[in-house]
Amino acid sequence: EAGVTQSPTHLIKTRGQQATLRCSPISGHTSVYWYQQALGLGLQFLLWYDEGEERNRGNFPPRFSGRQFPNYSSELNVNALELEDSALYLCASSLEGLSSSGFQETQYFGPGTRLLVL
Amino acid sequence: AQTVTQSQPEMSVQEAETVTLSCTYDTSENNYYLFWYKQPPSRQMILVIRQEAYKQQNATENRFSVNFQKAAKSFSLKISDSQLGDTAMYFCAFMTRDTGNQFYFGTGTSLTVIP
């Protein structure tokens, strides 16, 4: 079974530009989460999408946005890039809703996209 | 506020020895889930072990086990028979559905297994 995939692996942009990051969840997973991992810091929650809807949002400015497509893949868009947006962006997926073993809470992570803003 | 604290930024252990990574958390919720993830130098986050807060029995996965002390809000990870492949950054995390499935991560512990 394929895991969570992300593209591109690396992205270099200049300040003020826009970046688009993509994520494909594990087959059958309906929820996608985005995290920012800045150098030396832990993971900071960005966004949660489920069934095409934004369900929760972390403490990030509105220039961080995204969407989830009918096939459950997701995009993260970062507008008006700033130097401090340079980080590893991780996507995770999970199966939301009841299953035979109860709610599925575990998130499975992709390899990440390394964004560098110059 | 929901917080996770990992007080050991770096640790090392001899191959085949046992090491314990500490984690404390703070939440006002009663029903939550705790996780340990590892992130090797190749950077893909991998689930190591998980624990439901309502379960008193400590979770075990092969060489990995946890010591879950709910009253103390402590969730330590014990790695037995350490292997070179265990070298990684280890993150403690918890999640409650009341906070919109948001995971709260600690800042990580960098573990090095020495041959």
Side-chain angles (χ1 to χ4, degrees):
Chain A
E1 179 183 283
V4 177
T5 60
Q6 292 186 245
S7 63
T9 55
H10 292 82
L11 190 57
I12 300 175
K13 295 286 186 179
T14 57
R15 195 168 47 184
Q17 285 188 314
Q18 177 193 36
T20 298
L21 289 63
R22 296 179 177 83
C23 171
S24 291
I26 291 172
S27 177
H29 284 189
T30 60
S31 279
V32 170
Y33 304 79
W34 288 96
Y35 293 88
Q36 182 194 67
Q37 186 178 21
L39 189 64
L41 300 178
L43 281 75
Q44 302 296 317
F45 168 74
L46 270 165
L47 292 158
W48 169 34
Y49 290 96
D50 182 65
E51 297 286 357
E53 300 285 331
E54 182 180 302
R55 303 292 186 184
N56 194 16
R57 181 182 183 86
N59 188 26
F60 280 84
R63 57 191 186 83
F64 287 84
S65 65
R67 54 180 173 167
Q68 186 179 33
F69 299 99
N71 66 355
Y72 303 114
S73 67
S74 177
E75 274 184 0
L76 173 68
N77 295 293
V78 187
N79 295 318
L81 284 165
E82 300 178 1
L83 298 179
E84 52 265 34
D85 296 333
S86 295
L88 179 67
Y89 289 84
L90 293 172
C91 171
S93 75
S94 71
L95 177 61
E96 184 62 12
L98 280 171
S99 74
S100 59
S101 60
F103 283 100
Q104 302 291 315
E105 302 81 21
T106 302
Q107 296 184 9
Y108 298 89
F109 286 81
T113 293
R114 176 75 66 185
L115 173 64
L116 177 61
V117 182
L118 302 175
Chain B
Q2 325 273 3
T3 59
V4 179
T5 302
Q6 293 179 250
S7 59
Q8 305 152 313
E10 295 182 358
M11 294 190 72
S12 61
V13 61
Q14 290 291 138
E15 193 174 6
E17 296 294 309
T18 295
V19 64
T20 299
L21 281 59
S22 66
C23 172
T24 58
Y25 59 93
D26 189 22
T27 180
S28 57
E29 305 299 326
N30 283 318
N31 188 23
Y32 50 90
Y33 307 88
L34 295 156
F35 305 83
W36 278 97
Y37 283 89
K38 82 182 239 188
Q39 189 176 37
S42 64
R43 84 178 178 216
Q44 180 121 24
M45 293 273 281
I46 303 166
L47 176 69
V48 175
I49 198 166
R50 54 170 279 171
Q51 172 88 39
E52 290 89 343
Y54 60 85
K55 289 186 178 179
Q56 293 185 337
Q57 186 174 5
N58 289 325
T60 300
E61 288 288 343
N62 300 315
R63 298 183 295 107
F64 299 89
S65 62
V66 298
N67 183 6
F68 174 46
Q69 303 290 327
K70 190 171 184 178
K73 295 182 180 176
S74 171
F75 184 61
S76 61
L77 174 69
K78 186 172 81 171
I79 305 174
S80 304
D81 186 26
S82 296
Q83 300 175 0
L84 297 179
D86 295 333
T87 293
M89 182 72 81
Y90 286 80
F91 292 97
C92 175
F94 84 91
M95 183 269 271
T96 77
R97 292 202 169 269
D98 290 344
T99 57
N101 286 20
Q102 182 170 338
F103 267 52
Y104 298 88
F105 284 86
T107 51
T109 296
S110 178
L111 176 68
T112 301
V113 179
I114 302 168

